């Protein structure tokens, strides 16, 4: 056990060694390991900088909806006369009675390319129990014609024309039944003959590509016939201007665009009567955007018509015949009208743009054999020179000359240059 004196000596020895080590390190005193916080003075006090917050507010304006454009093709009278349906009989195979497809195959690609295709079905289609006929102002076509037209690409069938009572009130009712049944089977609209006032006031509207298009159809004549007082059936007449005004305005309320089919004017002339021009202007004023004229069996001119507010609609006064077996040169050259119905995405305003009109020719060989349609851009000088029209001898013929020069003259006289679509 270490004695007290020994402990003291040992402590002194250790102290001496520490001084010696301190001297060797160049230090004169021992530093403590305790940290020391600096004193807070005016010069060392924490400084708070004044700051400001900048708030940037941005307003995102929603982009205007894009414009909507619907491409439409319209043709004139599908006049299936005797030699037209006989041509379909000659093409029938495999137990068929009629095959209309070859008659329309040359124009089918053009029809199918449109978003919507419209045709005036000039001849009645009444269904079973009604004899097929194509002459003597007593037209009734076989039911398979409707399927052929739909298969060719047509979507809208206007029915109001002067032949609606060719088979009496029974035939008109049967035709309405036929087209109602077709609309249940196929995605089409047929209009112009109605079961009664309520049906007539029901606006036919097509929804396509985000646009609503309303269709109306009227005729100037029923060939001197009248719907009996006891019948509820209705056909819109061009003389019923109050009805037309009301329906166009109503159509404009329920749809974006309004297309009116008008079967009017005089036959076998390229001249547009003043009364037709007056009614066309009124229809545009009331809100029609496009008028598709038919009945003359000849190609007629076309134009924009301006409303009081500066907006415009477009009228084709007559598209002439689509197909027929007529025998004057002005009857076998019709019009195919192509145009865009454009809805402005921001304002909703409707404009008719990119109008192009191509002649369409009914061609047939001797004795109306091999009757078929050609668009102008597929027709040739050779075909024109082989057309049998100059050699037919139907009563009342008046224009027998034919060739490309005749077709071009008809086009130049009736299709303004800015609308000619020839290639």
């Amino acid at each position: 056990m270490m004695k007290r004196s020994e402990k003291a000596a040992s402590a002194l020895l250790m102290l001496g060694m520490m001084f010696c080590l301190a001297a060797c390190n160049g230090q004169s005193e021992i530093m403590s390991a305790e940290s020391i916080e600096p004193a807070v003075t005016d010069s060392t006090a924490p400084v708070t900088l004044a700051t400001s917050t900048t708030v940037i507010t941005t307003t995102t304006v929603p982009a205007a909806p894009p414009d909507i454009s619907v491409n439409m093709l319209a043709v004139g009278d599908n006049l299936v006369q005797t030699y037209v349906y006989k041509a379909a009989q000659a093409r029938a195979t495999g137990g068929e009675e009629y095959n209309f497809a070859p008659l329309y195959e040359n124009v089918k690609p053009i029809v199918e390319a449109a978003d919507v295709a419209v045709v005036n079905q000039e001849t009645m289609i009444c269904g079973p129990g009604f004899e097929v006929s194509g002459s003597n102002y007593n037209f009734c076509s076989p039911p398979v014609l409707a399927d052929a037209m739909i298969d060719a690409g047509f979507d809208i069938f206007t029915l109001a024309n002067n032949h609606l009572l060719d088979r009496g009130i029974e035939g008109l009712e049967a035709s309405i039944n036929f087209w109602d049944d077709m609309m249940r089977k196929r995605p089409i609209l047929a209009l112009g003959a109605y079961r009664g006032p309520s049906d007539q006031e029901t606006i036919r509207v097509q929804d396509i590509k985000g646009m609503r298009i309303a269709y109306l159809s009227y005729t100037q004549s029923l060939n001197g016939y009248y719907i009996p007082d006891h019948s509820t059936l209705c056909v819109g007449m061009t003389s019923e201007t109050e009805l037309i005004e009301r329906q166009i305005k109503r159509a404009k309320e329920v749809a974006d665009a309004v297309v009116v089919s008008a079967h009017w004017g005089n036959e076998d002339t390229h001249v547009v009567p003043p009364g037709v021009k007056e009614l066309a202007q009124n229809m545009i004023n009331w809100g029609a955007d496009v008028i598709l004229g038919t009945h003359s069996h000849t190609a007629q001119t076309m134009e924009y018509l301006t409303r009081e507010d500066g907006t415009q609609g477009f009228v084709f006064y007559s598209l002439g015949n689509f197909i027929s077996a007529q025998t004057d040169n002005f009857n076998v050259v019709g019009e195919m009208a192509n145009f865009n119905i454009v809805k402005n995405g921001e304002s909703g305003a409707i404009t008719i743009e990119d109008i192009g009109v191509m002649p369409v020719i009914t061609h047939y060989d001797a004795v109306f054999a091999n009757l078929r349609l050609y668009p102008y851009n597929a027709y040739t000088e050779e075909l024109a020179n082989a057309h049998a029209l100059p050699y037919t001898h139907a009563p009342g013929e008046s224009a027998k000359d034919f060739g490309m020069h005749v077709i071009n003259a008809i086009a130049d006289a009736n299709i303004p240059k800015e609308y000619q679509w020839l290639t």
Side-chain angles (χ1 to χ4, degrees):
M1 184 177 179
M2 186 179 292
K3 294 181 181 180
R4 182 176 296 178
S5 59
E6 291 175 335
K7 289 181 177 179
S10 177
L12 289 172
L13 179 61
M14 292 294 294
L15 184 61
M17 291 175 65
M18 292 178 63
F19 275 113
C20 181
L21 288 170
C24 292
N25 289 330
Q27 295 177 345
S28 59
E29 58 183 26
I30 300 173
M31 301 295 295
S32 168
E34 182 180 358
S35 63
I36 300 174
E37 294 291 333
V40 177
T41 67
D42 289 341
S43 61
T44 62
V47 177
T48 302
L49 298 176
T51 61
S52 62
T53 302
T54 302
V55 178
I56 301 176
T57 303
T58 60
T59 302
T60 302
V61 179
D67 293 351
I68 300 173
S69 181
V70 174
N71 179 249
M72 183 171 288
L73 181 91
V75 300
D77 296 332
N78 198 44
L79 182 56
V80 181
Q81 295 172 294
T82 300
Y83 284 108
V84 176
Y85 74 73
K86 284 186 176 295
Q89 281 181 319
R91 297 295 190 92
T93 59
E96 297 174 318
E97 191 172 358
Y98 303 95
N99 180 10
F100 286 95
L103 282 61
Y104 300 96
E105 63 184 359
N106 294 323
V107 298
K108 181 177 179 178
I110 295 175
V111 177
E112 287 184 318
D115 295 324
V116 183
V118 185
V119 60
N120 179 62
Q121 183 51 50
E122 180 82 355
T123 53
M124 298 282 287
I125 302 178
C126 300
F130 289 84
E131 181 185 4
V132 171
S133 176
S135 60
N136 299 324
Y137 301 99
N138 186 15
F139 297 129
C140 188
S141 297
V144 293
L145 172 66
D147 286 302
M149 299 302 293
I150 298 169
D151 292 341
F154 288 99
D155 312 282
I156 310 296
F157 292 79
T158 62
L159 307 178
N161 64 69
N162 52 304
H163 293 287
L164 282 180
L165 290 177
D166 279 10
R167 293 302 175 93
I169 196 67
E170 296 82 7
L172 178 57
E173 184 173 14
S175 184
I176 293 171
N177 291 338
F178 173 82
W179 286 107
D180 281 352
D181 187 54
M182 290 301 296
M183 285 189 282
R184 286 188 287 268
K185 295 177 180 177
R186 308 290 295 268
I188 64 167
L189 282 179
L191 65 147
Y194 309 97
R195 296 187 178 281
S198 177
D199 186 28
Q200 186 177 24
E201 294 292 350
T202 301
I203 306 298
R204 273 56 174 176
V205 177
Q206 175 192 39
D207 289 290
I208 181 165
K209 296 177 67 175
M211 186 186 296
R212 288 172 59 81
I213 304 175
Y215 297 91
L216 300 167
S217 180
Y218 307 97
T219 182
Q220 175 180 286
S221 163
L222 293 173
N223 283 346
Y225 297 111
Y226 298 91
I227 295 175
D229 291 339
H230 63 79
S231 174
T232 63
L233 303 185
C234 298
V235 175
M237 307 298 293
T238 58
S239 58
E240 298 178 287
T241 53
E242 291 184 3
L243 169 72
I244 297 171
E245 180 180 1
R246 181 177 70 251
Q247 291 194 322
I248 290 176
K249 290 180 176 178
R250 175 59 180 153
K252 200 65 175 179
E253 291 175 355
V254 301
D256 299 305
V258 180
V259 176
V260 179
S261 168
H263 203 71
W264 56 11
N266 302 321
E267 294 186 351
D268 296 337
T269 177
H270 298 292
V271 178
V272 181
V276 165
K277 290 191 173 184
E278 180 181 359
L279 182 54
Q281 182 66 65
N282 286 335
M283 288 179 174
I284 296 298
N285 291 344
W286 296 329
D289 296 294
V290 181
I291 301 172
L292 305 176
T294 54
H295 178 60
S296 71
H297 305 301
T298 58
Q300 292 184 351
T301 193
M302 60 219 61
E303 63 181 332
Y304 281 102
L305 296 178
T306 304
R307 307 180 184 96
E308 289 184 358
D309 63 2
T311 60
Q312 293 182 314
F314 198 87
V315 55
F316 300 91
Y317 286 108
S318 180
L319 297 169
N321 284 333
F322 185 43
I323 202 169
S324 77
Q326 293 192 286
T327 55
D328 285 322
N329 57 24
F330 48 74
N331 295 136
V332 299
V333 182
E335 297 173 348
M336 293 193 296
N338 188 282
F339 53 92
N340 292 328
I341 303 176
V342 180
K343 177 184 176 181
N344 184 282
E346 187 170 3
S347 67
I350 295 294
T351 52
I352 309 305
E353 303 178 9
D354 305 314
I355 298 163
V357 179
M358 178 177 289
V360 58
I361 299 99
T362 297
H363 184 92
Y364 46 81
D365 301 333
V367 199
F368 299 96
N370 198 24
L371 187 149
R372 68 272 192 201
L373 286 174
Y374 283 94
Y376 180 91
N377 62 1
Y379 206 58
T380 65
E381 189 78 47
E382 182 181 8
L383 281 167
N385 291 337
H387 201 297
L389 184 145
Y391 312 108
T392 57
H393 300 284
E397 294 171 330
S398 61
K400 296 291 94 184
D401 188 24
F402 202 71
M404 288 303 297
H405 67 288
V406 172
I407 299 170
N408 290 332
I410 291 173
D412 287 339
N414 297 284
I415 306 173
K417 288 290 186 182
E418 62 266 35
Y419 306 132
Q420 289 187 5
W421 169 38
L422 304 179
T423 59

